[in-house]
Amino acid sequence: MTRLLAAASSSQQRRYLTVSRASAADAGAAKPAARGGRRVGAALADDDDDAANNKKAKTSSSPQQQLIDTNPPRGTRDFFPEDMRLRQWLFGRWGEVSRRFGFEQYDAPVLESEALFVRKAGEEITEQLYSFEDKGGRRVALRPEMTPSLARLVLSRGKALPLPAKWWAVAQCWRYERTTRGRRREHYQWNMDVVGVAGVEAEAELLAAMSAFFADVGLTPKDVGIRVSSRRVLSAVLRLNGVAESEFARACVVVDKAEKLPREQVVSELGALGVSAEAAGAILDAMRCESLDALEQQLLARAGGGGGGGGGGGDNGSDENNAAADPSSSVREAVADLRRLFDLAAAYGYGDWLVFDASVVRGLAYYTGVVFEAFDRKGELRAIAGGGRYDRLLGTFGGADAPCAGFGFGDAVIVELLRDRGLLPDTSRASVDDVVFAMEEGRRGDACAAAARLRASGRSVDFVLEPGKKLKAALKHAERLGAARVVLVGGKEWDERGCVVVKDMAARTQEEVRAEELR
Ligand code: HAM
């Protein structure tokens, strides 16, 4: 089984290496492993189990020896070559979609200043931060997401950055999560973000890219849907229910948990933000509306603003003051934004992937407008991807605000989904074009030259390095690698005619080729 999602391989055995004390002390990398022995398969196990295993590791070592746990820390993965092939395939597909949409790639350090991720809205992500003090006494953190780093990069360029900027990245992210199927302590996340576009045209383009990726890998709208809503709708609901604007971000984080927590707990957490029980009930009811029309009617009735109608522009956040003064115009604008997004999706041709769902809030405090979440239609897996509009994040870092929208798309759930649907490519075998084999050790120099010639012409070549290997074993090795050809250097073909023998592995034919004509 591939291990891109190694959490699923709970049957994996603990891996221990015995090393002498002297070599363990010499090998810096060995120390943490010996102290904190954890395992990939244990990602599904309890901490108690981990503690017991650590104890075992300590007690079973003799005074001269200690056991090194060769497993990576809990919730993290090793990528063996077969895992890397799958990972590279996935990253390649992400990169290909990003390229087709005209986005530019960027990157940033995994280690960032902790301050970048400290937000006070009670989000899970900030509670799960891997943070520590470095040797210089600075508070640093392993990034749990890419968006604050993107904001930092955008701010550092200031006005010199031509807008709109459309950027993409694949970033390793770290969250101290309870590991489950599709949730790990480290994951890779494809990010696409648009900076500098205030209207839902940005979200429409982002969702076009996301659905293009799904279609590229063979998924259909029957497998995957993308739930869409807007924080502006929720903000209107909160405003209508008397929640102070300063509490919106916190309230959104609470409402996001509504599906996972008992209703009373949500009502009580909202109560702590000054929301009455009646208002909390109204908020939760609005979140259950199944259509935009129904939601609009319900909210306008409560706002006393009369019946439906489109009204408002697609310009997120442009009329905050008007909206605050007139809740019904705020509702109309939020709903108009969503209508326009659905119209654009239909024009692009990916409308079938989208579903309006008023309950989508997303757990990150910084979203200000449209929010969305890709989900498995069978309902077996966690969210596949998520994103939205965040027009005020830059301002929270002390810079000038710029309208931004984007998404993050993890590697874990999508691999589970593709595996379940039989859509993963076969990456079990390495692939090389040619295997070059010296028939006699005396011909190794000539074989080196043949391999160099082939490589210079762009072919990938596995050169058989072990002296004295038998031809039969070399051919078997070539078959296992899936090589297209085997090039044999030596024998009478070489001695008498200066030729190598090129075997075509698929056609089971062979021909003599002059060494200088090999390509
Ligand atoms: P997020 O919803 O926290 O958003 O994460 C986005 C996606 O990353 C999730 O839907 C999931 O695919 C993946 N993911 C998150 N945590 C884990 C985990 N522990 N293990 C495996 N996969 C995980 C963000 O991170 C935003 N910064 C996305 C964004 C970009 N919004 C605007 N631009």
Side-chain angles (χ1 to χ4, degrees):
M1 146 175 177
T2 61
R3 293 154 40 99
L4 193 64
L5 262 183
S9 64
S10 53
S11 60
Q12 190 172 348
Q13 297 300 306
R14 284 189 75 72
R15 307 193 305 244
Y16 284 112
L17 267 186
T18 308
V19 295
S20 72
R21 287 242 180 245
S23 66
D26 291 345
K31 285 184 190 169
R35 262 188 268 122
R38 294 179 189 268
R39 61 186 158 133
V40 174
L44 298 171
D46 291 326
D47 280 325
D48 291 353
D49 181 28
D50 238 19
N53 286 326
N54 287 343
K55 198 168 159 210
K56 178 178 163 233
K58 279 180 201 143
T59 52
S60 57
S61 55
S62 73
Q64 275 73 42
Q65 292 182 321
Q66 64 180 357
L67 294 179
I68 294 299
D69 189 345
T70 60
N71 295 285
R74 175 195 279 253
T76 70
R77 297 163 289 182
D78 291 321
F79 288 86
F80 286 89
E82 59 276 21
D83 309 318
M84 277 310 286
R85 288 195 284 276
L86 181 57
R87 184 170 117 181
Q88 291 305 91
W89 170 81
L90 181 65
F91 290 9
R93 304 313 291 250
W94 284 342
E96 174 53 22
V97 173
S98 307
R99 187 196 62 76
R100 284 204 320 259
F101 278 74
F103 279 58
E104 292 184 280
Q105 192 170 10
Y106 73 103
D107 204 356
V110 170
L111 189 71
E112 286 277 14
S113 157
E114 183 184 29
L116 204 57
F117 307 108
V118 175
R119 299 188 289 259
K120 297 198 172 63
E123 299 154 283
E124 229 178 19
I125 196 170
T126 55
E127 286 155 13
Q128 296 168 336
L129 204 59
Y130 274 92
S131 55
F132 55 96
E133 195 172 286
D134 72 8
K135 290 190 167 70
R138 294 172 208 90
R139 293 295 308 171
V140 288
L142 297 179
R143 67 175 169 224
E145 56 162 339
M146 197 59 170
T147 314
S149 301
L150 171 112
R152 184 175 63 69
L153 266 66
V154 168
L155 285 173
S156 77
R157 279 284 160 93
K159 289 203 166 56
L161 180 68
L163 296 181
K166 299 181 210 167
W167 286 4
W168 75 278
V170 174
Q172 193 185 32
C173 299
W174 292 81
R175 301 182 188 187
Y176 195 80
E177 288 241 21
R178 195 182 140 63
T179 50
T180 58
R181 191 178 184 210
R183 281 293 176 274
R184 316 199 49 77
R185 292 192 176 160
E186 120 323 286
H187 71 282
Y188 285 90
Q189 207 187 78
W190 174 35
N191 278 245
M192 286 184 89
D193 289 87
V194 178
V195 181
V197 175
V200 289
E201 291 74 16
E203 286 92 323
E205 181 80 344
L206 290 161
L207 290 168
M210 190 188 281
S211 45
F213 167 82
F214 286 134
D216 273 12
V217 294
L219 292 164
T220 70
K222 287 202 174 86
D223 302 301
V224 169
I226 307 174
R227 294 191 185 103
V228 183
S229 187
S230 171
R231 281 275 174 100
R232 298 186 76 200
V233 171
L234 180 61
S235 299
V237 177
L238 293 170
R239 192 174 291 123
L240 283 170
N241 286 289
V243 182
E245 186 121 16
S246 57
E247 299 294 357
F248 279 10
R250 276 175 206 277
C252 288
V253 171
V254 175
V255 175
D256 177 59
K257 297 187 278 192
E259 275 185 3
K260 292 178 227 148
L261 298 179
R263 192 176 166 103
E264 312 79 69
Q265 191 176 334
V266 177
V267 171
S268 124
E269 287 192 25
L270 284 173
L273 303 176
V275 183
S276 69
E278 196 231 333
I283 292 167
L284 295 175
D285 287 347
M287 297 295 98
R288 277 206 295 268
C289 271
E290 282 180 356
S291 76
L292 263 177
D293 288 341
L295 181 72
E296 190 176 32
Q297 293 300 332
Q298 183 180 326
L299 297 182
L300 289 177
R302 197 170 166 95
D315 195 1
N316 276 325
S318 59
D319 288 305
E320 289 291 319
N321 294 334
N322 284 350
D326 174 7
S328 55
S329 83
S330 150
V331 169
R332 284 208 185 87
E333 280 167 20
V335 172
D337 258 4
L338 285 171
R339 285 215 173 91
R340 176 148 172 74
L341 177 57
F342 279 90
D343 286 350
L344 288 170
Y348 274 95
Y350 67 84
D352 289 353
W353 299 86
L354 301 195
V355 183
F356 167 72
D357 184 339
S359 72
V360 173
V361 181
R362 312 291 304 138
L364 298 169
Y366 51 65
Y367 290 128
T368 53
V370 170
V371 277
F372 49 86
E373 178 175 285
F375 67 101
D376 143 43
R377 297 247 189 205
K378 282 195 182 164
E380 290 167 357
L381 299 166
R382 301 273 303 259
I384 302 168
R389 173 164 289 279
Y390 51 104
D391 287 347
R392 290 195 280 274
L393 182 62
L394 270 58
T396 64
F397 294 140
D401 272 326
C404 303
F407 66 75
F409 190 133
D411 62 345
V413 175
I414 188 66
V415 169
E416 287 287 320
L417 180 67
L418 294 174
R419 181 177 294 119
D420 286 356
R421 302 286 190 281
L423 291 171
L424 281 183
D426 179 8
T427 48
S428 56
R429 290 206 305 189
S431 79
V432 294
D433 296 324
D434 301 324
V435 168
V436 171
F437 178 65
M439 301 281 282
E440 305 94 30
E441 253 335 278
R443 288 282 159 249
R444 181 157 296 273
D446 300 311
C448 289
R453 170 177 277 279
L454 288 168
R455 286 170 177 156
S457 74
R459 295 185 68 84
S460 77
V461 176
D462 181 84
F463 186 25
V464 179
L465 300 175
E466 315 94 293
K469 191 156 182 152
K470 297 270 181 296
L471 173 61
K472 207 170 152 195
L475 291 175
K476 215 165 161 194
H477 168 71
E479 229 159 67
R480 193 175 55 76
L481 286 183
R485 310 188 307 181
V486 176
V487 176
L488 306 176
V489 183
K492 65 179 182 333
E493 291 83 355
W494 182 273
D495 295 342
E496 293 169 12
R497 295 183 286 283
C499 285
V500 299
V501 173
V502 177
K503 280 179 170 291
D504 183 318
M505 297 297 279
R508 306 240 163 240
T509 56
Q510 65 178 55
E511 61 172 339
E512 283 184 27
V513 176
R514 292 197 58 76
E516 62 275 17
E517 287 165 11
L518 190 59
R519 57 183 57 85

